[in-house]
Amino acid sequence: MIRQSSFTKLGHMINTAVNKRSGNGDIQWCFSQVKGTLEDDVTEADIISCVEFNHDGDLLATGDKGGRVVIFQRDPVSKNSIPRRGEYNVYSTFQSHEPEFDYLKSLEIEEKINKIRWLKRKNQAHFLLSTNDKTIKLWKVSERDKKVEGYNTKEENGQMRDPSCVTALRVPIIKPMELTIEASPRRIFANAHTYHINSISVNSDQETYLSADDLRINLWHLEITDQSFNIVDIKPTNMEELTEVITAAEFHPLECNLFVYSSSKGTIRLCDMRAAALCDRHSKLFEEPEDPTNRSFFSEIISSISDVKISNSGRYMISRDYLSVKVWDLHMETKPIESYPVHEYLRSKLCSLYENDCIFDKFECCWSGNDSAIMTGSYNNFFRMFDRTHKRDVTLEAAREIAKPRTVLKPRKVGTGGKRKKDEINVDCLDFNKKILHTAWHPSENIIAVAATNNLFLFQDKF
């Protein structure tokens, strides 16, 4: 009985440490790590283009504009310490894609990694999908700590031996070796997209996945590389009649027959693959009527949805447009149940943002593990967090100045008036070259990864 109560007490201590909040109910975030050089001179190839935790959060993958994938592994000591810490070390780095040239269309194909998606782990190895504009690859990442020696028909350097020279048979032996991490491409899915791939999503059945470009969505089987099924095609017969493009697509996390895709017109369509082979007719259409008072020249551009994510529970969905994040109930199409302004102070700056092309930036968004909070990026290396339970929001900054362990992140405020208040930054002083487009949230803990240009910042709740 004493032993049981002591374990209960220990469990309570761990739980309290993991979910430590300030008195007003907000999580206090503190700096954990930063990956990448903190110098001002940034190489284009080093700019991070996607971030993704695997299903248990022990691995974190990033892709960059140079076609590289870097995988970080949770430090076992930090994971098992009390309180738990979110520290990651480099596990594997490999070149996923190379620059190519389409001679038929005289087009260069960038090596930039657009998306990474993990498959659920089935054995000792890890599998992930990575894609550039045209080609998707399935990678196997595995550990090797043993080697075989004493082959009969092969020399130790790998050269084949003449069988006539073998005078006696040997039994090969397995010897321990230094641990190496090997990344090998198991499948290459190519030549299925005319336009640039913007999304990939693994189905809950873990056997199929979808890939989406501007006008089409294809369904693939993970074992078959030379065949895919076109499940959505919005390409008009006459391209002059084109009014919208697909911006993002994702499978439902629980129902393998359902998927959603968003468009540049600000709509989200939910499709059921049981209804028809070609899902041109959606099952549900999620669209918010436009507010006439906010109508302007830029309305169509800023209403374009850059990302859509279904909640882990499968009940809700978030969509990110240029100025806001909206939460939708999959049972209600007429309007979002929650709407959060991300950087409303930029509404008056849309003209200059159009001139410098920032208005076309594609910000992603993500859910917390229990769907109670949402995170998305902004400019000046700011990122926004919205607490759905307490209806609170906060602006935080991924800055090199706070790159000291356990430094608590101070909320940032942006002022629009002439007189600047204390601890405020004026909207005219924001750096639009520093933008956070890609973020990820650990599936079960309050650990977040934020990509700021070539740096990956890791934050966790205060311990």
Side-chain angles (χ1 to χ4, degrees):
M1 188 69 188
I2 296 168
R3 186 174 173 180
Q4 189 179 0
S5 62
S6 66
F7 272 116
T8 308
K9 192 175 179 182
L10 179 65
H12 175 71
M13 283 165 61
I14 295 169
N15 207 35
T16 307
V18 168
N19 296 300
K20 193 176 239 181
R21 290 169 180 260
S22 61
N24 61 2
D26 297 323
I27 297 172
Q28 279 192 296
W29 293 95
C30 68
F31 172 82
S32 178
Q33 287 175 299
V34 61
K35 307 292 184 183
T37 177
L38 290 170
E39 294 168 12
D40 290 323
D41 190 22
V42 178
T43 311
E44 180 81 6
D46 292 335
I47 295 173
I48 297 170
S49 54
C50 56
V51 186
E52 187 81 5
F53 278 103
N54 75 338
H55 292 85
D56 61 10
D58 279 353
L59 296 179
L60 171 64
T62 65
D64 63 26
K65 288 191 173 183
R68 293 180 299 265
V69 171
V70 181
I71 301 173
F72 300 93
Q73 185 182 46
R74 181 90 176 262
D75 184 281
V77 177
S78 77
K79 184 180 178 181
N80 298 320
S81 64
I82 300 175
R84 298 173 86 170
R85 302 194 312 275
E87 293 171 9
Y88 286 75
N89 302 318
V90 174
Y91 181 65
S92 176
T93 304
F94 58 92
Q95 189 71 33
S96 174
H97 287 71
E98 301 279 359
E100 295 175 59
F101 191 80
D102 188 334
Y103 293 97
L104 200 63
K105 295 175 181 171
S106 296
L107 283 175
E108 284 185 24
I109 301 167
E110 284 186 327
E111 64 270 41
K112 175 193 159 196
I113 309 294
N114 292 340
K115 285 285 185 290
I116 290 173
R117 290 291 179 265
W118 290 93
L119 276 66
K120 283 184 180 172
R121 198 174 183 184
K122 293 179 180 177
N123 51 38
Q124 288 297 103
H126 298 274
F127 289 87
L128 63 84
L129 287 167
S130 64
T131 184
N132 66 350
D133 286 340
K134 297 289 181 182
T135 306
I136 305 152
K137 294 183 181 181
L138 174 66
W139 289 89
K140 177 184 179 182
V141 182
S142 54
E143 297 181 356
R144 248 182 90 185
D145 61 355
K146 293 180 178 67
K147 61 180 178 180
V148 180
E149 287 185 359
Y151 285 107
N152 289 287
T153 57
K154 199 160 59 173
E155 300 287 357
E156 298 305 330
N157 62 6
Q159 283 187 324
M160 295 306 292
R161 188 188 293 170
D162 184 358
S164 61
C165 298
V166 179
T167 55
L169 287 177
R170 296 184 292 177
V171 177
I173 55 170
I174 297 172
K175 284 189 174 180
M177 59 178 274
E178 190 182 342
L179 179 69
T180 57
I181 314 299
E182 295 179 342
S184 54
R186 307 299 289 177
R187 304 273 186 278
I188 296 175
F189 308 88
N191 307 319
H193 285 277
T194 309
Y195 308 98
H196 291 179
I197 298 170
N198 56 48
S199 303
I200 51 174
S201 178
V202 181
N203 200 343
S204 58
D205 62 16
Q206 294 293 304
E207 289 185 358
T208 55
Y209 74 92
L210 64 77
S211 58
D213 65 25
D214 295 338
L215 298 178
R216 296 189 180 100
I217 300 175
N218 292 334
L219 179 69
W220 300 83
H221 193 285
L222 284 161
E223 299 292 328
I224 302 166
T225 58
D226 59 352
Q227 187 182 38
S228 66
F229 297 96
N230 181 224
I231 52 174
V232 171
D233 188 347
I234 64 166
K235 184 183 178 184
T237 311
N238 181 6
M239 282 297 275
E240 288 180 5
E241 296 170 8
L242 182 68
T243 57
E244 65 179 330
V245 293
I246 297 166
T247 55
E250 187 179 59
F251 266 121
H252 192 281
L254 306 173
E255 305 290 338
C256 63
N257 51 288
L258 300 178
F259 68 93
V260 295
Y261 69 93
S262 57
S263 87
S264 56
K265 268 193 169 178
T267 61
I268 306 166
R269 292 173 173 85
L270 179 113
C271 300
D272 190 338
M273 293 191 292
R274 295 173 301 185
L278 191 65
C279 301
D280 282 353
R281 289 181 184 165
H282 50 267
S283 300
K284 290 187 176 184
L285 177 70
F286 300 86
E287 185 176 19
E288 185 178 29
E290 188 187 1
D291 182 358
T293 58
N294 285 333
R295 180 76 190 163
S296 72
F297 170 76
F298 306 107
S299 293
E300 284 190 17
I301 302 171
I302 63 172
S303 66
S304 174
I305 293 171
S306 55
D307 195 20
V308 61
K309 294 272 169 59
I310 301 177
S311 65
N312 300 295
S313 67
R315 175 66 191 267
Y316 303 102
M317 170 174 65
I318 47 174
S319 64
R320 172 72 207 259
D321 56 44
Y322 190 67
L323 293 177
S324 66
V325 173
K326 296 183 176 78
V327 181
W328 302 81
D329 186 331
L330 290 185
H331 297 175
M332 188 173 82
E333 307 155 65
T334 50
K335 61 178 181 180
I337 57 170
E338 297 160 33
S339 187
Y340 301 101
V342 177
H343 37 218
E344 188 61 28
Y345 47 79
L346 294 182
R347 193 175 287 277
S348 61
K349 304 284 178 187
L350 291 177
C351 192
S352 56
L353 290 164
Y354 178 77
E355 287 170 359
N356 64 16
D357 281 349
C358 283
I359 201 168
F360 302 106
D361 285 334
K362 292 175 168 51
F363 292 95
E364 295 175 7
C365 53
C366 65
W367 291 93
S368 63
N370 61 2
D371 300 336
S372 66
I374 300 159
M375 175 170 58
T376 190
S378 182
Y379 294 103
N380 206 66
N381 275 358
F382 288 171
F383 60 99
R384 300 273 281 140
M385 309 195 82
F386 304 97
D387 185 335
R388 298 179 62 218
T389 311
H390 300 93
K391 296 292 182 261
R392 290 193 179 94
D393 64 279
V394 67
T395 302
L396 301 171
E397 184 180 7
R400 61 185 72 178
E401 290 75 34
I402 53 97
K404 299 180 191 73
R406 303 193 185 189
T407 303
V408 176
L409 272 63
K410 292 177 182 174
R412 301 301 308 265
K413 285 187 168 57
V414 179
T416 50
K419 193 176 179 183
R420 189 168 72 89
K421 294 177 187 174
K422 190 188 175 187
D423 295 333
E424 262 190 5
I425 181 170
N426 192 280
V427 66
D428 295 319
C429 300
L430 296 175
D431 188 343
F432 291 102
N433 292 316
K434 292 180 178 178
K435 55 192 87 170
I436 289 175
L437 303 175
H438 317 286
T439 58
W441 201 310
H442 189 287
S444 57
E445 294 180 47
N446 284 327
I447 300 169
I448 55 172
V450 174
T453 318
N454 65 319
N455 296 127
L456 180 70
F457 284 86
L458 287 158
F459 304 106
Q460 67 173 97
D461 53 358
K462 187 182 175 184
F463 57 92

